[in-house]
Amino acid sequence: MNRTRLAVVLAILVAVPLLGYAWWQQTQGDPTLTEVWDPEPRIVSPGDDGAPPSDAVVLFDGSSLEGWQHANGSPAKWTVADGAMTVAPDTGSIRTARGFGDCQLHIEWRTPAEVHGDGQEPGNSGVYLQNRYELQVLNSFENRTYANGQAGSIYKQFIPMVNASRGPGQWQSYDVIFTAPRFAGDGSVTSPAIFTVFHNGVLVQNHVELKGSTVYIGQPAYEPHSDREPLMLQDHGELVSFRNIWLRELSPQ
Ligand code: MG
């Protein structure tokens, strides 16, 4: 037997039992070895017909602006009617009194049925996570503007993957998974803010990592802030309405 043949025979002698053992493990081994029982996920009752799940923090249930305030701490002055809150002109953006970190957010919004202007004008508002990272609200139905400023964009940072807009005057939804940024003691960013967004149930942002706080002019940059910051809704002068706002906290307490 020459060397090559010897090598082949030896390889077969080694490989066959190994493959056999692997096959035996897959088919004859103990399946319980790969079962994990702890921790057991806690029970959450899902909401029916768009209602909040049982562990959600309800931020607006359609009845009052309790828990919302103006940036200066005075009571929020938006109007509440028919289960919705609506921007009241020149009353300013409003924010939650409470702060939040990592979260799952559900919010429904409606731009005015009557459209004035174009581009960044009609139905402009915004959902600001942690008071500074804007998920744009705009009438983007047959209304072209810069792509990183249309509905579903992370304003001036990320273009939505598709335009899933409904028409003006119709209710729309955002479902957001937000991971708050982390900062080191010296203020440097150890991990960025991350957004995943569904617009009317359609994925429009998939785990995008923000470059910093939302800015209108210039490049975004991070400024260190606390772990928990308010949710803010923008007054951009348009009578945009919101309803059914709830959030599930995902940050470890
Ligand atoms: Mg806006």
Side-chain angles (χ1 to χ4, degrees):
M1 198 181 282
N2 66 27
R3 282 192 174 188
T4 310
R5 280 195 180 172
L6 182 64
V8 168
V9 168
L10 284 174
I12 289 169
L13 286 175
V14 171
V16 166
L18 280 177
L19 288 169
Y21 179 66
W23 173 84
W24 179 85
Q25 272 198 317
Q26 291 294 321
T27 58
Q28 306 296 312
D30 182 356
T32 65
L33 292 175
T34 45
E35 293 176 359
V36 179
W37 286 68
D38 290 299
E40 182 185 6
R42 64 191 167 79
I43 292 169
V44 172
S45 304
D48 293 324
D49 301 323
S54 60
D55 65 345
V57 178
V58 176
L59 298 177
F60 179 66
D61 67 0
S63 62
S64 83
L65 290 175
E66 195 187 328
W68 293 85
Q69 58 189 28
H70 186 271
N72 63 15
S74 65
K77 293 194 181 73
W78 290 14
T79 52
V80 176
D82 302 323
M85 59 159 88
T86 302
V87 174
D90 304 319
T91 58
S93 302
I94 64 171
R95 60 188 69 176
T96 56
R98 274 183 66 179
F100 303 99
D102 301 344
C103 65
Q104 173 189 350
L105 170 71
H106 175 87
I107 185 164
E108 296 171 24
W109 53 275
R110 183 184 61 192
T111 64
E114 198 177 316
V115 176
H116 319 98
D118 58 12
Q120 286 289 307
E121 253 181 289
N124 197 330
S125 180
V127 178
Y128 285 71
L129 275 289
Q130 294 203 312
N131 214 23
R132 46 175 66 67
Y133 307 112
E134 184 185 11
L135 168 58
Q136 174 70 307
V137 168
L138 190 73
N139 166 33
S140 287
F141 182 82
E142 297 176 353
N143 174 42
R144 196 73 219 283
T145 183
Y146 42 94
N148 63 354
Q150 70 181 65
S153 67
I154 305 301
Y155 187 73
K156 293 254 176 111
Q157 294 193 40
F158 292 96
I159 296 168
M161 296 158 76
V162 293
N163 182 350
S165 296
R166 295 197 176 109
Q170 295 189 54
W171 282 105
Q172 312 197 47
S173 67
Y174 281 147
D175 286 281
V176 180
I177 301 163
F178 175 74
T179 304
R182 268 57 169 178
F183 300 96
D186 65 358
S188 61
V189 182
T190 55
S191 64
I194 300 171
F195 273 85
T196 293
V197 180
F198 295 86
H199 181 189
N200 297 325
V202 178
L203 182 66
V204 292
Q205 300 288 351
N206 188 6
H207 204 82
V208 295
E209 298 186 354
L210 271 63
K211 298 158 194 162
S213 302
T214 298
V215 285
Y216 179 48
I217 297 169
Q219 296 304 316
Y222 278 102
E223 47 170 33
H225 56 76
S226 73
D227 294 349
R228 284 157 206 277
E229 293 279 328
L231 180 75
M232 181 171 78
L233 302 177
Q234 185 184 39
D235 171 5
H236 202 283
E238 284 279 298
L239 305 186
V240 176
S241 301
F242 296 89
R243 72 178 184 189
N244 195 20
I245 310 172
W246 53 261
L247 172 156
R248 296 182 60 245
E249 298 189 274
L250 305 176
S251 295
Q253 295 288 338

